[in-house]
Amino acid sequence: MMDGNDANQDLGATFLSSDSQLFVQSDGDGENSMGGDNADDSGDGDGSDRSNPMLREQDRFLPIANVARIMKKTIPRTGKIAKDARECVQECVSEFISFITSEASERCHQEKRKTINGEDILFAMSTLGFDNYVEPLKNYLQKYRESIKGERTAGADGFEEGTEESYGDASSSNHTVNVLTADGQLTNQQANVIYTTYPGTQITQFQLG
Amino acid sequence: MSSFKPKLGDGSIILPQARVKTIMKSSPDTESISTDALYFVTKATEFFVEHLVQEIYESTGKSNELTYKGLADIVQKSDSMHFLKDMVPRKITYKEYQEILKDKENSDLY
């Protein structure tokens, strides 16, 4: 029937896992060896009209480092996180995203709208038992927008006040910015923002890396 | 309803939005996503990690070690985390599994 050696692992996986359509590749070479005709190679899949495109493992989950960072910040500094707990949280997080998204998406679809907007997401959270996230999310969005506003050029003569940055000569600061690169990838990166003033205008340059 | 309040950070983002977007798009019928929606989901996901960890930490009596078992237990107990119950099954040993199989066989006979 089954090998005695792998028994513990395999049985655990087959007995306990649900009929989820996602599967985990343990070889980590980034290639889909099964279900080849369903494989969606592009990371951002605009061709993903199929209901469950097989994403590569690295695309299905958020980077473990980022997830672990949030986890560590939440417990005391002396705390430890077991490896299997950390990996499981990483998977749960993707599940959470899908959970919220499909609720919002369904509602959008019913109302014949094509774009999921902020309200849809907030409504989905309320419906699914995460109502306590809604207010903080709205507040944080406002803060986030204000911090972004402070980095933009204000136009010909005036500078927008309200930030601690002094738009004097040339100054640079390190920010996290959303960058849309030439190949259409939108990523969140650390970038040096260099402000240079010329008479009448302010030039903002982003130096990545 | 839990009493979770996010404590970490300001409005800035820790998780990569592009990846969040990729995951969102794998949901059926998801065409386009507004920037606000993407921000909310990314931020909410950060809250979620914090929330989950907080609940585990408290339910294990503030134990300094976060284990799989702690996670599995909270998923069963907490209402809002219940959607994860298939993803975080309680682990059993091979021996326990054999016994379950045996019981099943026995009940199938009658």
Side-chain angles (χ1 to χ4, degrees):
Chain A
M1 226 170 60
M2 296 187 207
D3 299 343
N5 295 340
D6 294 326
N8 275 335
Q9 239 173 339
D10 290 349
L11 284 175
T14 52
F15 175 67
L16 297 172
S17 68
S18 63
D19 284 319
S20 165
Q21 292 195 34
L22 303 177
F23 67 98
V24 179
Q25 285 163 228
S26 53
D27 55 6
D29 63 358
E31 295 206 72
N32 265 330
S33 45
M34 296 201 268
D37 42 296
N38 258 352
D40 185 5
D41 242 357
S42 59
D44 211 46
D46 273 321
S48 51
D49 304 312
R50 312 160 205 143
S51 33
N52 261 328
M54 303 283 229
L55 295 174
R56 294 172 299 184
E57 184 170 332
Q58 62 257 40
D59 295 331
R60 284 193 292 122
F61 301 133
L62 291 169
I64 188 91
N66 302 63
V67 174
R69 192 169 138 203
I70 303 174
M71 290 176 79
K72 283 203 198 115
K73 277 187 178 187
T74 310
I75 56 175
R77 215 156 34 89
T78 52
K80 285 191 273 187
I81 304 171
K83 184 164 183 273
D84 56 356
R86 183 169 46 215
E87 286 170 358
C88 193
V89 169
Q90 184 193 29
E91 293 173 21
C92 290
V93 154
S94 289
E95 189 67 19
F96 172 77
I97 294 172
S98 297
F99 189 46
I100 301 288
T101 306
S102 41
E103 179 70 24
S105 185
E106 206 184 294
R107 183 154 168 261
C108 251
H109 197 65
Q110 281 173 3
E111 296 178 8
K112 308 262 194 280
R113 283 183 287 118
K114 290 197 171 180
T115 306
I116 301 179
N117 60 32
E119 279 307 308
D120 294 325
I121 298 295
L122 296 181
F123 189 82
M125 299 223 178
S126 251
T127 309
L128 297 173
F130 296 99
D131 191 53
N132 46 343
Y133 289 15
V134 172
E135 280 312 309
L137 283 175
K138 290 193 209 165
N139 292 335
Y140 279 21
L141 179 62
Q142 198 169 19
K143 280 193 207 165
Y144 181 66
R145 278 190 177 142
E146 278 161 23
S147 73
I148 295 279
K149 213 165 35 156
E151 292 169 19
R152 289 214 184 109
T153 63
D157 289 307
F159 298 145
E160 255 183 323
E161 293 299 316
T163 66
E164 298 87 52
E165 305 291 339
S166 67
Y167 301 144
D169 302 326
S171 60
S172 85
S173 49
N174 204 273
H175 290 273
T176 306
V177 295
N178 289 323
V179 178
L180 184 63
T181 56
D183 61 352
Q185 291 295 314
L186 180 70
T187 54
N188 192 268
Q189 302 188 28
Q190 281 295 114
N192 264 325
V193 179
I194 302 168
Y195 300 102
T196 321
T197 51
Y198 283 78
T201 51
Q202 181 191 38
I203 296 176
T204 310
Q205 300 167 4
F206 291 97
Q207 182 185 44
L208 301 174
Chain B
M1 194 84 71
S2 84
S3 56
F4 169 73
K5 276 191 170 53
K7 285 186 281 191
L8 298 178
D10 40 37
S12 66
I13 301 173
I14 302 174
L15 297 174
Q17 283 194 92
R19 187 71 66 81
V20 173
K21 187 174 182 191
T22 303
I23 299 171
M24 287 179 78
K25 286 195 134 191
S26 70
S27 265
D29 296 328
T30 308
E31 296 191 34
S32 46
I33 301 161
S34 77
T35 46
D36 281 2
L38 184 57
Y39 176 84
F40 283 154
V41 174
T42 308
K43 214 54 203 155
T45 307
E46 293 176 15
F47 291 174
F48 179 72
V49 175
E50 207 188 325
H51 185 181
L52 190 54
V53 170
Q54 248 179 49
E55 289 216 359
I56 300 171
Y57 182 64
E58 268 153 41
S59 79
T60 58
K62 303 199 199 272
S63 149
N64 242 7
E65 188 174 350
L66 223 69
T67 60
Y68 181 91
K69 180 172 188 303
L71 177 60
D73 287 345
I74 205 69
V75 161
Q76 299 298 326
K77 280 195 286 189
S78 166
D79 282 336
S80 45
M81 303 301 172
H82 224 55
F83 72 98
L84 292 170
K85 65 178 171 20
D86 288 336
M87 289 210 78
V88 195
R90 286 196 162 102
K91 288 183 179 172
I92 60 173
T93 60
Y94 179 51
K95 202 164 151 195
E96 288 169 330
Y97 176 61
Q98 278 185 310
E99 280 168 24
I100 292 173
L101 269 189
K102 218 191 307 178
D103 288 341
K104 194 171 184 296
E105 266 173 35
N106 290 339
S107 62
D108 282 348
L109 288 175
Y110 298 118

